[in-house]
Amino acid sequence: MKRIFLVLLTLGQMSYGQNSIKSDSLPARHIEEIVVTASRMASSKHEVPVAVSKLSQKTIAETKAVAVYEIINKVPGVLMVNLGNEQHSMAIRQPMTTNAYYLFLEDGLPIRPMGVFNHNALLEINQFNLQSIEVVKGPVSSLYGPEAVGGAVNLLSLKPSAVPQLKLGTQFDQFGYRRFQTAGSAAIGKLGFHVAGLSSLQKNSWMNFSDYSKDNINGRLDYAITAKTRLIGTVFYGKYYSDMTGTVNEKDFYDRAYKSSTDFTYRKSDALRAKITLEKDWGEKKQSFFTLFTRDNKLGQNPSYAIKWVQGQTTAKGEINSNNFKSYGALLQHNQSISFLNSSFVIGSLLDYSPVDYNAYQIDLKANLNPDGQTVSSYEIIAERPDIKLSDYEAEIFNKAGFFQLTVKPTEKVVITAGGRYDAMSFDYENHIDGASGTKRFDQFTFKSGINYNFLSWAGYYGNYSQGFSPPGLTSVFRAKSGTGGTTGVPAEFYYNLKAAEFNNYEIGGWFRFFQKKLNIEYSLYYLEGKNELLSIKQPDNSTDYQSAGKTRHKGVEFALYYCPNDQLRIRVGGTTAQHTFIDFKVSDKPADPVKNLNGFEMPSAPKWTANSEINYYPVWLSDFRASVEWQMVSSWFQNQVNTVKYNGYNVFNARLGYKWKDFEWFVNAINLTNKLYAYNVTRGNAANAVPSYTAAAPRTFVFGMQYNLSLK
């Protein structure tokens, strides 16, 4: 492989190859990927004993995604579930879930502090500021701490360009979506800067009551103090507001009557993140990084998913909540290579102090029933009840951690990795509902070890053992149990005894290259055991009871094939087959309930097969033209925990065309090309008469756009 010049930025979490864009434009050549997320330092993908995928800037630029899930779903073994208006859940070595089993990173730093997980965190991301995306599958708690169980998604930001650049773009669809975006970058002497912003607006879409707006801006300054010392500052600010459509009932779904049952639910976010990093090169392959960071988030909701309704009744209950936090933290990391056995190590520590406050109160609703009397046509607000508190607490979260990883290369073909991390997460709390106060603490040491054996120039494999853990989120701990508090006359009870979930992962994988590196195959097999998982039990009124005493098993095979027969074609085939099973999950003590435990049952929303494949065409007879067809497949899954009803899954095709002429680029994306009727998720309760809820997918959508790219070379 030819020389690749690497600049490690932001605590070693960002890597850029000066040749990367040019190399990626040659589809018939495979350039060995350099990744940073898997080891916190720049490493060859084939020298880290984990399943890691990298989405390049070229892939991001050609996808022209409205939402990040369109890009991330290209990673084999990953299903990022679209919940509408850039809201999402995730499935990486887990069922489709909103549980805190994924870590979302921005340039190597968690977007949110531990204990304040939000499955929608990536809706804050500026799609026009992405250099690349790296996805590590499986537990990486030994490097990144709690919540990095199913995997970690690291979004790497653009850095200042060596020459002045200006980008202006717009994209829109036939359903009222509009987005404007701009970016500028330059270097003046020792100072470089980059600014990127976007503004999105959705009005009068295919689903009624589904408007949203999003405004983001990112800024970055790089200052070279000396040739070996750099100062880097970044800032992000974003505002988001969305109608929360929620799900539709079965009849409306199959009639394609895309109507929301509410016209008052919403989600809004106001987010600020900033950091400043001092980088120091002490010598060849010896660097230190010190970062100070802050976060300031305000999240407010009147959530559609929190509406509690008993089938057949004409009244219901909802809630309004707000979740606000600030963070002040520091991260110190040192990377160094040593001559003994061609070794290298990473050592670091983290301190994160995050005060948080949360408030939720009840709203009384009227349920207007459909003629069948079993489903709801619409809800109306009767009264807001701030006097009925569902949750009301303040907490100060302290996350303290130290981590270490050693990599030894005793021979040219063998790489051995071992590392660990100790996390001491605690929070001082005051529960304003029951007057309780105190401290809860979750201490955990997580370990990983692995080996890479690249026994041939065209083949290699790896194996690893890794641990992961995830403490319960504060919103679960301080949620009043169903049937207590409020106007029930029963003192409010809370989930103070929830435990941290713990995971053990066993994994092997490998890679092959054939036909002068034109055909590349990657695979991984994993076996993930979980205990004390935070398990949710749906109640008849749609409320949730929590347990952290369950055991689960997750096992599967992930695979990817990349074939570039010539400079005109790129073929990608990727997917996973998996099983997600309850091993120990007690759901009821009631003698009348036919199912009292789910031992051996499949977990709901857990398709056994998912795949995403794509053919890209770059004709030599029409320079700067591109075309692609993408296939997304999700097999059937159980809608409920008791495994009585399945949804059949879906097959969907997307097509993308683009053409560049001088400094201009035009494109059109056809999403859901065949206008298939399908749902991203379908769920229902465990009762025999429970009705399903459909998260409807959009009909065929055409996204048009134009972009102006000016570079003063």
Side-chain angles (χ1 to χ4, degrees):
M1 186 177 68
K2 295 183 178 180
R3 293 178 61 194
I4 297 179
F5 298 91
L6 298 174
V7 180
L8 298 181
L9 300 173
T10 313
L11 299 166
Q13 305 308 306
M14 306 172 65
S15 66
Y16 304 93
Q18 292 181 359
N19 298 336
S20 60
I21 297 176
K22 181 179 179 181
S23 299
D24 200 20
S25 66
L26 297 174
R29 293 286 182 267
H30 178 86
I31 303 299
E32 186 168 359
E33 289 181 316
I34 302 298
V35 295
V36 294
T37 310
S39 58
R40 280 191 174 269
M41 62 189 300
S43 305
S44 165
K45 179 177 175 178
H46 294 150
E47 293 188 351
V48 290
V50 296
V52 56
S53 297
K54 181 175 182 177
L55 297 162
S56 68
Q57 187 178 16
K58 178 181 176 65
T59 297
I60 295 169
E62 291 185 355
T63 302
K64 296 290 190 293
V66 169
V68 179
Y69 82 91
E70 297 176 45
I71 309 169
I72 292 179
N73 278 346
K74 297 178 186 293
V75 175
V78 175
L79 180 63
M80 185 174 177
V81 184
N82 178 21
L83 300 180
N85 292 357
E86 302 192 45
Q87 301 163 107
H88 60 88
S89 63
M90 189 69 77
I92 308 175
R93 299 191 177 181
Q94 292 279 326
M96 296 181 278
T97 181
T98 59
N99 284 346
Y101 295 152
Y102 309 104
L103 191 60
F104 300 126
L105 306 164
E106 187 176 44
D107 300 329
L109 281 173
I111 292 175
R112 293 175 179 268
M114 307 308 169
V116 194
F117 175 81
N118 189 297
H119 62 91
N120 283 307
L122 295 186
L123 65 78
E124 299 173 3
I125 291 299
N126 182 348
Q127 299 96 305
F128 207 53
N129 193 53
L130 295 176
Q131 170 76 24
S132 61
I133 301 173
E134 293 183 3
V135 181
V136 182
K137 290 161 281 186
V140 283
S141 291
S142 63
L143 278 175
Y144 293 99
E147 299 173 356
V149 174
V153 179
N154 193 7
L155 299 108
L156 303 173
S157 304
L158 288 165
K159 67 171 185 175
S161 59
V163 297
Q165 292 183 349
L166 175 65
K167 296 181 180 180
L168 299 169
T170 183
Q171 56 192 77
F172 57 92
D173 67 24
Q174 80 271 32
F175 293 122
Y177 175 79
R178 303 288 185 272
R179 187 169 93 196
F180 300 93
Q181 52 204 18
T182 183
S185 187
I188 305 173
K190 295 183 176 182
L191 182 67
F193 72 89
H194 177 81
V195 179
L198 66 79
S199 180
S200 301
L201 182 66
Q202 173 74 69
K203 287 285 189 182
N204 302 319
S205 183
W206 56 274
M207 171 80 80
N208 78 323
F209 189 68
S210 61
D211 293 352
Y212 89 102
S213 62
K214 172 179 172 178
D215 298 285
N216 284 5
I217 187 167
N218 288 76
R220 171 171 169 154
L221 285 174
D222 290 21
Y223 180 65
I225 301 172
T226 68
K228 295 185 177 181
T229 308
R230 298 169 295 280
L231 196 63
I232 301 168
T234 67
V235 63
F236 161 81
Y237 179 69
K239 289 182 72 70
Y240 173 92
Y241 183 92
S242 176
D243 298 336
M244 194 183 296
T245 305
T247 58
V248 299
N249 63 52
E250 190 166 53
K251 183 179 185 304
D252 287 344
F253 173 75
Y254 284 106
D255 289 345
R256 295 202 179 210
Y258 300 118
K259 60 181 183 180
S260 172
S261 60
T262 66
D263 60 3
F264 53 82
T265 50
Y266 63 84
R267 172 176 281 120
K268 59 182 179 181
S269 171
D270 193 326
L272 172 68
R273 293 188 293 274
K275 63 180 181 290
I276 186 166
T277 300
L278 178 65
E279 300 183 349
K280 175 67 176 179
D281 298 334
W282 302 101
E284 185 178 2
K285 298 181 180 180
K286 186 189 300 184
Q287 298 110 357
S288 296
F289 313 90
F290 179 65
T291 291
L292 295 173
F293 63 88
T294 184
R295 314 180 188 97
D296 189 349
N297 268 58
K298 299 177 178 65
L299 180 67
Q301 296 184 113
N302 185 333
S304 59
Y305 64 79
I307 293 176
K308 301 174 182 63
W309 170 71
V310 176
Q311 194 168 340
Q313 292 191 1
T314 57
T315 59
K317 298 175 182 178
E319 71 175 70
I320 293 175
N321 63 52
S322 64
N323 189 7
N324 310 308
F325 68 86
K326 295 183 178 181
S327 298
Y328 311 92
L331 179 60
L332 176 64
Q333 181 175 320
H334 179 73
N335 304 340
Q336 184 168 336
S337 296
I338 51 181
S339 57
F340 178 70
L341 293 179
N342 196 17
S343 304
S344 62
F345 68 85
V346 177
I347 188 170
S349 61
L350 168 74
L351 177 65
D352 188 336
Y353 168 64
S354 299
V356 58
D357 64 82
Y358 187 95
N359 177 275
Y361 63 85
Q362 181 176 301
I363 57 175
D364 294 337
L365 305 175
K366 177 185 178 183
N368 299 310
L369 303 181
N370 286 310
D372 60 11
Q374 301 300 305
T375 57
V376 176
S377 172
S378 64
Y379 293 100
E380 301 175 29
I381 295 180
I382 299 174
E384 293 192 17
R385 300 296 303 275
D387 57 310
I388 302 179
K389 299 285 189 181
L390 305 176
S391 190
D392 187 7
Y393 65 87
E394 295 178 59
E396 295 181 332
I397 304 173
F398 299 88
N399 289 314
K400 300 175 285 293
F403 55 88
F404 176 83
Q405 180 167 288
L406 175 66
T407 301
V408 179
K409 196 172 182 180
T411 72
E412 187 65 28
K413 297 180 179 181
V414 177
V415 182
I416 301 171
T417 303
R421 172 170 168 141
Y422 177 73
D423 284 274
M425 174 195 166
S426 63
F427 56 88
D428 299 332
Y429 68 88
E430 185 174 355
N431 189 340
H432 297 301
I433 295 181
D434 66 357
S437 62
T439 300
K440 287 192 69 68
R441 186 180 181 93
F442 299 94
D443 290 0
Q444 190 81 23
F445 176 79
T446 48
F447 171 79
K448 81 167 184 180
S449 62
I451 185 170
N452 294 81
Y453 181 32
N454 299 312
F455 54 94
L456 296 169
S457 62
W458 52 270
Y461 68 83
Y462 73 86
N464 81 49
Y465 166 73
S466 57
Q467 298 174 328
F469 86 105
S470 179
L474 272 66
T475 53
S476 300
V477 174
F478 295 107
R479 170 66 55 164
K481 292 185 178 181
S482 179
T484 70
T487 59
T488 65
V490 179
E493 298 178 9
F494 297 89
Y495 295 93
Y496 293 127
N497 295 323
L498 291 178
K499 303 174 184 178
E502 300 177 12
F503 296 84
N504 291 289
N505 182 67
Y506 309 88
E507 181 175 346
I508 59 173
W511 58 276
F512 300 95
R513 293 176 181 167
F514 302 105
F515 308 124
Q516 298 178 325
K517 300 182 181 181
K518 294 181 179 181
L519 175 63
N520 299 273
I521 299 173
E522 299 173 0
Y523 66 91
S524 57
L525 297 84
Y526 67 89
Y527 185 93
L528 176 65
E529 297 176 318
K531 69 176 182 178
N532 295 333
E533 283 203 45
L534 183 62
L535 301 176
S536 304
I537 304 173
K538 283 289 186 183
Q539 304 301 301
D541 66 350
N542 195 42
S543 63
T544 301
D545 184 35
Y546 297 109
Q547 292 184 12
S548 63
K551 294 181 180 179
T552 61
R553 181 180 64 226
H554 314 268
K555 60 182 180 179
V557 179
E558 299 158 345
F559 57 90
L561 180 151
Y562 307 93
Y563 182 45
C564 303
N566 52 53
D567 287 348
Q568 296 187 90
L569 282 177
R570 298 177 68 178
I571 300 171
R572 172 181 58 82
V573 179
T576 183
T577 177
Q579 291 183 348
H580 306 283
T581 308
F582 291 119
I583 302 301
D584 180 11
F585 185 15
K586 188 176 183 179
V587 293
S588 176
D589 288 316
K590 299 177 181 178
D593 287 345
V595 179
K596 297 179 179 59
N597 71 71
L598 299 178
N599 302 350
F601 282 56
E602 290 185 31
M603 300 179 74
S605 300
K608 289 187 176 180
W609 287 90
T610 61
N612 185 287
S613 302
E614 191 170 21
I615 299 176
N616 292 270
Y617 179 48
Y618 306 89
V620 295
W621 51 269
L622 183 58
S623 178
D624 294 322
F625 177 81
R626 59 176 174 81
S628 69
V629 177
E630 179 185 40
W631 170 50
Q632 176 79 59
M633 184 275 286
V634 180
S635 71
S636 63
W637 64 83
F638 281 110
Q639 300 176 22
N640 54 13
Q641 295 171 327
V642 293
N643 290 183
T644 57
V645 185
K646 277 190 171 184
Y647 178 66
N648 287 331
Y650 54 87
N651 288 271
V652 179
F653 294 90
N654 306 314
R656 297 178 174 92
L657 302 174
Y659 180 66
K660 291 182 179 179
W661 179 74
K662 295 185 178 179
D663 295 328
F664 292 90
E665 179 183 7
W666 292 269
F667 65 90
V668 57
N669 296 344
I671 308 300
N672 189 5
L673 183 64
T674 62
N675 199 30
K676 183 178 180 63
L677 174 66
Y678 72 103
Y680 291 113
N681 200 1
V682 184
T683 62
R684 71 171 72 203
N686 291 332
N689 62 343
V691 295
S693 297
Y694 289 75
T695 303
R700 181 170 46 232
T701 303
F702 293 102
V703 181
F704 303 90
M706 183 185 74
Q707 188 165 305
Y708 175 66
N709 305 299
L710 176 64
S711 180
L712 301 179
K713 296 181 180 179

